[in-house]
């Protein structure tokens, strides 16, 4: 079994404080992370969309989630980092011998991140079908990792064609966009499906519940099912202090998962069976599911288009719009 690459996603768990960022980076490096990742995310790029102000229900069925603009804008504004923090992060990562990575959420950030020195870029699930953004990213960055959650197969196929044409290194992450993701819904057969179909390295972006005895189970199972990369949210704060806390593990958990990846496949099977009382043969019989669940579609509707490039404080250019920003 080949050792996996680990992406420690710091997301917004720094709460806008550089000291939290520094401590997370330091502990992730000590625990063996290969990449440490930030999100380049700003309230100024948040798009107002009326349907999400009150949500929409039909009887007991949710048709659109409720997430008011002012509340989300205020939350993001309070925890924003400054550009100098993102620039220093590249230098600090290089000093510690770990690769800096970042998620780009709007097209007007692409050149900014490139000029800061980032070479490893993450495309979030909800931009896996933002084809214009993917074209622009592929012209700038050396290594591209793209999540495939809440994305239809034909969209993944088109995005892969764009990336393959660019001749840049790229990998895919299987992802289930339910937060937290129940173990029974992680759909691990999709890892080998994506690997066989697109002939690129495939990993797993883990959003399972993180504060219980099975907090690292989904990541370990994904490795057993062939994942070559693991991405997981990291926190040093209590789970109720940050929005992503419920799907975030501590930096020290990274080491446990990387050590598991070094085991031979049969040893992994015994380990999973003994530690978690799992019937691995039964798991192997679970069928591949290529459909999106209702909950994933709801999240897709909200998050796809959540951010955009807002020109002259008037016009929003979405990441998939084939128009110039200049």
């Amino acid at each position: 079994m080949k050792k996996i690459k680990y992406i420690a996603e710091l997301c917004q768990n720094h709460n806008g404080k550089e000291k939290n960022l520094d401590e997370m980076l330091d502990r992730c490096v000590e625990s063996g992370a290969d990449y440490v990742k930030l999100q380049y995310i700003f309230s100024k790029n948040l798009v107002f969309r009326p349907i999400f102000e009150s949500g929409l229900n039909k009887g007991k069925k949710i048709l659109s989630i409720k997430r008011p603009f002012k509340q989300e804008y205020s939350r993001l504004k309070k925890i924003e980092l400054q550009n100098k923090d993102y620039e220093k992060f590249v230098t600090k990562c290089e000093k510690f011998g770990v690769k800096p990575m970042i998620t780009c959420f709007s097209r007007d950030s692409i050149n900014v991140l490139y000029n800061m020195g980032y070479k490893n870029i993450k495309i979030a699930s909800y931009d896996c079908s933002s084809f214009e953004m993917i074209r622009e990213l592929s012209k700038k960055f050396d290594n591209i990792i793209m999540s495939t959650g809440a994305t239809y197969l034909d969209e993944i196929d088109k995005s892969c064609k764009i990336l393959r044409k660019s001749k840049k290194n790229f990998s895919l992450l299987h992802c289930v966009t339910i937060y937290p993701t129940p173990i029974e819904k992680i759909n691990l057969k999709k890892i080998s499906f994506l690997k066989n179909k697109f002939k690129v390295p495939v990993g797993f972006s883990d959003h399972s519940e993180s504060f219980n005895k099975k907090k690292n189970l989904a990541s370990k199972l994904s490795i057993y099912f062939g994942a070559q990369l693991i991405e997981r949210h990291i926190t040093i704060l209590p789970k109720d202090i940050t929005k992503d806390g419920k799907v975030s593990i501590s930096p020290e958990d990274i080491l446990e998962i990387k050590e598991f990846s070094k085991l031979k496949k049969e040893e992994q099977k015994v380990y999973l069976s003994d530690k978690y009382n799992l019937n691995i043969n039964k798991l192997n019989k679970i069928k591949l599911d290529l459909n999106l669940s209702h909950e994933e579609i709801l999240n897709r509707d909200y998050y796809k288009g959540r951010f955009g490039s807002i020109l002259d404080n008037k016009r929003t250019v979405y990441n998939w719009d084939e128009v110039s920003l200049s």
Side-chain angles (χ1 to χ4, degrees), residues 11-73:
C11 49
Q12 299 159 56
N13 286 338
H14 48 70
N15 275 356
K17 296 181 179 179
E18 187 180 5
K19 66 175 184 178
N20 289 339
L21 194 63
D22 287 344
E23 183 178 345
M24 282 195 285
L25 173 59
D26 186 52
R27 289 169 60 179
C28 286
V29 170
E30 286 185 1
S31 297
D34 299 281
Y35 299 91
V36 183
K37 187 170 82 66
L38 291 177
Q39 296 180 350
Y40 195 70
I41 189 168
F42 290 95
S43 56
K44 68 181 179 68
N45 293 108
L46 191 67
V47 178
F48 175 78
R49 295 166 296 164
I51 193 171
F52 301 109
E53 290 301 292
S54 56
L56 182 63
N57 292 4
K58 185 176 182 180
K60 293 183 178 181
K61 186 175 183 179
I62 299 174
L63 301 181
S64 177
I65 65 176
K66 178 181 179 180
R67 197 149 170 189
F69 176 86
K70 286 185 178 180
Q71 181 179 327
E72 183 65 2
Y73 182 93

Side-chain angles (χ1 to χ4, degrees), residues 74-112:
S74 176
R75 183 188 73 83
L76 289 173
K77 190 69 177 176
K78 291 176 182 176
I79 61 172
E80 288 178 351
L81 296 171
Q82 303 300 312
N83 270 353
K84 64 179 182 180
D85 298 315
Y86 289 102
E87 292 170 352
K88 286 162 66 175
F89 185 77
V90 174
T91 303
K92 290 173 183 176
C93 284
E94 291 173 347
K95 179 181 177 181
F96 288 134
V98 69
K99 295 178 181 178
M101 182 179 286
I102 199 157
T103 304
C104 181
F105 286 98
S106 59
R107 285 174 53 201
D108 61 356
S109 299
I110 294 174
N111 285 331
V112 176

